[in-house]
């Protein structure tokens, strides 16, 4: 291993030096000479007809450059959706228009209606208060089931109903699943809500548009997880700007969790407006605005049924889910409750027959899209909850019921009944590891100690599977994706041997600048300090699809490996020439090329210098220089898995749940930087526990957001969480990517909610209250108390 | 935030003078006022800072108990009241986070009278006296419902005087998001009787629980509360809990406060 960190080293994150010393350069730090400021006038009602917009008073206010409304966007495209789902009858989903600014109707609180551009932010805000908007309120569509009744008001008049799609998977299995339920010895049914969440990255969204009239070049600086995707969507579908005239830069980004994947109206607005007003235009979201304009997560209402035979083998799973799309289709929204959810419903189990039905519904709420885990937390939650409930009904140990039904270690690769093939895994091993690190054996003694203090202690497990590293382009294309999902890398070796790697992935907290450098350093055998990772600017990185779905190392890292191998192959040819040896005899080790069986050698820098100062170089057969680009398109998803265990104490007097211990035994395949992996798991656990105990996005009956600030939306804080017990020693490497890695970014958020809820139900049952079989998240003190005192 | 004039007087008299102007408002720690100004819910034309007035700062033993200057930050109360009135110091140390405790002040908290704030329960349960630039107001007369107090326009709190009880404790149950009190109970036992003040729960703001006071006055033990119940009808009902839950919590916390105080 290189001395300052190759694969497997817990190298400290080099980017933290600038983040921790306040030297990060975020989008809001970008200020361009002469820039004007945009303030969005947003709907304060959930549903209404716009009768009149009068901007004249606002236009006359000091400092105002221009006030924009939908009328200014005639001829401009709407915000596109990047995924088309086909329903169970073979028809495409209903896809409503999504104008940049509300056109005729407002459809959720926060829907942008007008934008004031002014010399200063305060002037823009002052003038925004002078924009007169008359709205006739319409009855809001909020409850998903009511939204589907024939007499419901419609969110979009141009659609036939509020149903986006009615999806069945695997539709051909529907009849067989029904038969299996008829033949079942036992059926467990669970109805639940997967609560709506607000992503709340620490950095709110920001966009700065700039236009150069003499060249016609546009630049958008934006808080994005995938600048190339924004360039494609906004350039091609909204504003009609070709790629070579549009540069998108996502500099340091302070967290995304999914909410910064999508193309948003504000980005299109500043890019468009900069040309219109002839000045750079900047918009910075306030936190309050983020609550009503960033895409939100989850929001499923589900009924799941599990069929078992007389020996407690799972024979079938059937689900019916209502998935909230919100008022418009956000970029990847349709794919989340379908392909990222239905395909995971086998979990870690051998269940032979599965049928998943999802009805996606439009409502007068903020759009919903992927949020850390995206579809997989929803699948895992319902499955791991219903299995736990079945174990309680059958009087068997929830761990044993899982173990009995696990896919066995020798059954991989395993074809599930829901289309995907798990390449590797060993669920028995991760479950065993979990029981060991969580000291389940000592639980009874700990429970007795709690009882003595009047508290109820419980232990819950969950075992998850996720599909990461998304994904094969040809497969996602068949499933309705309107984009490819490869990743790219350019490895540029400089004359003196240092290396710049340009990646299409984007880092917004994941530590790519450190771990990607470790990969290159390992392959060549040089110090990681010689390798610089460049990302986030479409003008200097190759076309890439960005970072989400725990894909960056598995897909982006694999592209880097491919490009680096091309570099090594060429470098070996140069080395062979320099040492007058045959290329086949050249070996590269620790940054040095040797001729096998001799003491002849040339070091890395000697070869790289020869590539750029080609005085002694095979110019007749090879180009000078040492720079290679590779695109990597995976052949399958990767399938991390793991066992999670949660130990809680319930205060029966107040309903308060305290997490005393949380253990995670993950199988992420090979690991490049164990410290970064542990950090990712810890962050994911915090978010999953946040969903389970604290976070809830709530609208009132008028569609007003009740949890519209941190005063009412409870983010998890350090003292809500125990010290985590994280292990990733179980390793079944991925078989189809060169690093054998699986991805670890979302696991914590996927596996933890069911473990927490199972633990609380366990505590309640141990106290004799077996009548309480489920409590919907978040398990706040008041909800737990309510359940105990119903 | 809109533009405003900022003055920082050194004496109460100058502050009162500065507050006579139209659109003038006192600024103490700013932990409540500044956020409302950022949201443009409040647009004072002049802010009169009280934090530069030495006579309004600090904690000391004085006539009738502990005197706390109105512009004293929570963190200072948490530190300096600990030797005299530990329950009050603990309450101050449990408000918000370190930044809020370093800026927010007792005067600002009592002037604001947020129904979920902590200090009102301490003032009411202690039978404190709210001293202003013009008069002394008994806590029993001071709190007049949600965000409403006996203060007149332009009147400023200069000091709060707390009689020191024999035994006391404040038990707070956090609202999960804001960590203000979902319910908070301050129990204070004096030689002449027990006072119980409940915050966070009622639609009318902080209040005294008379039945609990007389039961605990007869016998200062958690068992005295058995059989007593608060009604949830007039309690706050929101996404964090129903009125019935808050009424129940108030009783549980009262019991716990008695245990903590014993
Ligand atoms: C994140 C956060 C968490 C918090 N958590 C808690 C909590 O757990 N418990 C709790 O009790 N509080 C909590 N608070 C409130 C905080 O502790 C302050 O007490 C409160 O904000 C008011 O005090 P201040 O000094 O900041 O007043 P300011 O914001 O300066 O003023 C508040 C109001 O009082 C007026 N005013 C100020 N001083 C005087 C005076 N001497 N005389 C007359 N009028 C005056 C002002 O004009 C203004 O109207 C929290 C606040 C924040 C921001």
């Amino acid at each position: 291993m290189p001395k300052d960190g190759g694969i497997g080293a817990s190298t400290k994150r080099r980017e933290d030096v600038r983040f921790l010393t306040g030297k990060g350069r975020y989008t809001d730090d970008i200020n361009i000479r002469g820039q004007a400021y945009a303030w969005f006038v947003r709907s304060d009602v959930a549903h209404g007809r716009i009768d009149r917009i009068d901007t004249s008073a606002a236009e006359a206010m000091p400092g105002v450059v221009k006030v924009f409304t939908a009328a200014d966007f005639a001829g401009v495209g709407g915000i596109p959706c990047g995924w088309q789902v086909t329903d169970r009858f073979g028809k495409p989903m209903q896809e409503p228009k999504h104008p940049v600014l509300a056109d005729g109707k407002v459809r959720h609180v926060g829907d942008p209606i007008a934008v004031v551009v002014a010399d200063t932010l305060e002037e823009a805000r002052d003038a925004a208060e002078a924009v007169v908007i008359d709205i006739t309120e319409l009855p809001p569509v909020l409850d998903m089931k009511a939204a589907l009744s024939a007499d419901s008001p419609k969110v979009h008049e141009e659609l036939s109903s509020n149903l986006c799609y009615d999806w069945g998977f695997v539709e051909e299995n529907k009849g067989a699943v029904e038969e299996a339920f008829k033949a079942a010895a036992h059926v467990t049914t669970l109805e639940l809500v997967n609560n709506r969440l607000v992503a709340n990255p620490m950095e709110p969204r920001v966009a700065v548009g700039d236009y150069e009239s003499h060249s016609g070049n546009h630049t958008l600086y934006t808080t994005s997880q995938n600048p190339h995707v924004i360039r494609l969507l906004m350039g091609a579908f909204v504003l009609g700007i070709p790629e070579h005239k549009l540069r998108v830069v996502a500099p340091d980004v302070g967290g995304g969790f999914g909410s910064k994947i999508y193309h948003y109206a504000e980005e299109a607005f500043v890019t468009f407006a900069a040309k219109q007003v002839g000045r750079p235009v900047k918009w910075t979201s306030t936190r309050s605005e983020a609550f009503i304009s960033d895409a939100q997560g989850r929001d499923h209402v589900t009924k799941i049924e599990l069929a078992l035979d007389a020996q407690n083998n799972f024979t079938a799973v059937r689900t019916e889910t209502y998935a909230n799309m919100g008022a418009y289709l956000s970029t990847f929204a349709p794919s989340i409750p379908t392909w990222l959810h239905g395909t995971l419903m086998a979990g870690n189990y051998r269940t032979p027959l599965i049928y998943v039905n999802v009805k996606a519904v439009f409502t007068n709420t903020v759009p919903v899209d992927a949020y850390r885990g995206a579809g997989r937390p929803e699948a895992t939650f319902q499955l791991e909850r219903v299995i736990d409930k079945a174990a309680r009904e059958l009087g068997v140990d929830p761990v044993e019921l899982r173990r009995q039904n696990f896919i066995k270690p020798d059954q991989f690769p395993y074809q599930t009944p829901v289309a995907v093939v798990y390449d590797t895994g060993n669920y028995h091993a991760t479950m065993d590891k979990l029981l060991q690190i969580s000291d389940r054996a000592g639980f009874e003694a700990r429970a007795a100690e709690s009882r003595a203090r009047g508290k109820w202690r419980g232990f819950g497990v969950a075992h998850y599977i996720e599909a990461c590293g998304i994904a094969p382009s040809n497969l996602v294309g068949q499933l309705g994706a309107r984009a490819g999902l490869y990743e790219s890398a350019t490895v540029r070796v400089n004359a003196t041997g240092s290396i710049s790697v340009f990646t299409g992935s984007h880092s917004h907290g994941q530590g790519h600048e450190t771990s990607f450098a470790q990969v290159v350093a390992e392959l060549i055998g040089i110090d990681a300090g010689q390798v610089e990772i460049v990302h986030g600017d479409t003008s200097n990185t190759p076309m890439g699809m960005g970072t989400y779905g725990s894909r960056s190392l598995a897909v982006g890292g694999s592209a880097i490996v491919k490009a680096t191998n091309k570099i090594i192959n060429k470098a070996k040819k140069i080395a062979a020439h320099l040492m007058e040896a045959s290329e086949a005899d050249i070996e590269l080790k620790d940054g040095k090329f040797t001729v096998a069986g001799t003491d002849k050698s040339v070091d890395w820098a000697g070869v790289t210098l020869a590539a750029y100062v080609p005085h002694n170089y095979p110019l007749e057969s090879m180009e000078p220089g040492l720079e290679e680009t590779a695109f990597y398109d995976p052949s399958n998803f990767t399938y991390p898995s793991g066992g999670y265990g949660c130990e809680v104490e319930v205060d029966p007097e107040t309903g308060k749940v305290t997490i005393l211990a949380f253990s995670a035994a993950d199988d992420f395949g090979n690991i490049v930087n164990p410290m970064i992996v542990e950090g990712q798991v810890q962050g994911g656990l915090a978010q999953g526990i946040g969903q389970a105990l604290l976070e809830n996005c709530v609208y009132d009956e008028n569609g007003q957001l009740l949890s519209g600030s941190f005063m009412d939306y409870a983010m998890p804080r350090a003292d809500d969480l125990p010290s985590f017990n994280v292990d990733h020693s179980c390793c079944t490497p991925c078989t189809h990517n060169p690093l054998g890695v699986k991805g670890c970014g979302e696991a914590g958020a996927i596996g933890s909610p069911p473990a927490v809820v199972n633990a609380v139900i366990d505590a309640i049952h141990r106290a004799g209250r077996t009548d309480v079989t489920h409590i919907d998240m978040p398990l706040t003190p008041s909800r737990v108390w309510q359940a105990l005192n119903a | 935030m809109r533009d405003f004039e900022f003055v920082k007087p050194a004496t109460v008299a100058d502050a009162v003078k500065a507050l006579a102007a139209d659109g003038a408002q006192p600024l103490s720690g700013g932990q409540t006022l500044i956020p409302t100004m950022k949201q443009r819910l409040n647009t004072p034309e002049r802010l009169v800072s009280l934090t530069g007035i030495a006579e309004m700062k600090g904690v000391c033993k004085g006539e009738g108990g502990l005197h706390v200057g109105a512009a004293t930050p929570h963190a200072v109360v948490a530190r300096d009241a600990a030797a005299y009135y530990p329950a009050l110091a603990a309450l101050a140390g449990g408000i918000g986070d370190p930044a809020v405790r370093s800026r927010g002040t007792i005067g600002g908290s009592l002037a604001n009278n947020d129904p979920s704030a902590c200090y009102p329960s301490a003032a009411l349960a202690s039978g404190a006296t709210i001293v202003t630039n013009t008069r002394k107001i008994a806590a029993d007369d001071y709190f007049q419902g949600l965000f409403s107090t006996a203060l007149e326009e332009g009147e400023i709190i200069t000091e709060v005087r707390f009689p020191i009880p024999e035994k006391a404790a404040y038990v707070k149950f956090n609202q999960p998001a804001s960590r203000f009190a979902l319910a908070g109970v301050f129990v204070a036992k004096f030689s002449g009787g027990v006072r119980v003040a409940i915050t966070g729960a009622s639609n009318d703001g902080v209040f005294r629980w008379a039945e609990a006071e007389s039961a605990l006055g007869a016998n200062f033990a958690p068992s005295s509360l058995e059989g007593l119940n608060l009604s949830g009808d007039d309690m706050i009902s929101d996404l964090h809990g129903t009125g019935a839950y808050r009424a129940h919590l108030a009783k549980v916390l009262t019991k716990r406060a008695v245990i903590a105080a014993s």
Side-chain angles (χ1 to χ4, degrees), chain B residues 25-26 28-33 74 96 105 111 117-118 157 172 179-180:
Chain B
Q25 192 172 349
S28 197
Q31 297 303 291
T32 296
L33 185 51
H74 311 324
T105 65
C118 302
I157 305 175
K172 173 186 181 188
R179 295 194 172 182
F180 275 68

Side-chain angles (χ1 to χ4, degrees), chain A residues 711 717, chain B residues 19 25-35 42 47 50-51 56 70-72 74 91 94-97 100-101 103-114 116-120 142 151 154-159 170 172 174 178-181:
Chain A
M711 295 302 274
R717 288 176 244 202
Chain B
L19 281 166
Q25 192 172 349
L27 173 73
S28 197
Q31 297 303 291
T32 296
L33 185 51
I34 303 284
N42 202 335
L47 286 184
L50 305 178
T51 56
M56 280 180 65
T72 313
H74 311 324
L91 174 147
I95 292 174
D97 50 51
V100 168
R101 290 195 289 275
R103 301 285 317 173
T105 65
I106 186 170
S109 179
L110 293 178
N112 195 46
N113 194 19
D114 187 308
S116 303
C118 302
Y119 267 128
Y142 176 82
L151 290 179
E155 185 173 8
I156 52 177
I157 305 175
T158 54
E159 189 176 85
Y170 176 65
K172 173 186 181 188
N174 285 349
S178 71
R179 295 194 172 182
F180 275 68

Side-chain angles (χ1 to χ4, degrees), chain B residues 191-240:
Chain B
S191 54
V194 175
R195 291 171 67 103
V196 177
I198 296 172
T199 188
S202 168
N203 279 322
D204 295 325
V206 69
F207 69 98
R208 286 172 65 185
W209 186 9
E211 291 88 341
E213 290 184 353
S214 49
L216 291 168
N219 176 18
F220 194 72
S223 57
S224 303
L225 297 165
E226 272 162 31
L228 297 187
N229 281 305
L230 283 159
S231 158
D233 294 348
D234 296 324
M235 299 286 181
I236 301 168
S237 208
D238 61 14
L239 75 154
H240 306 291

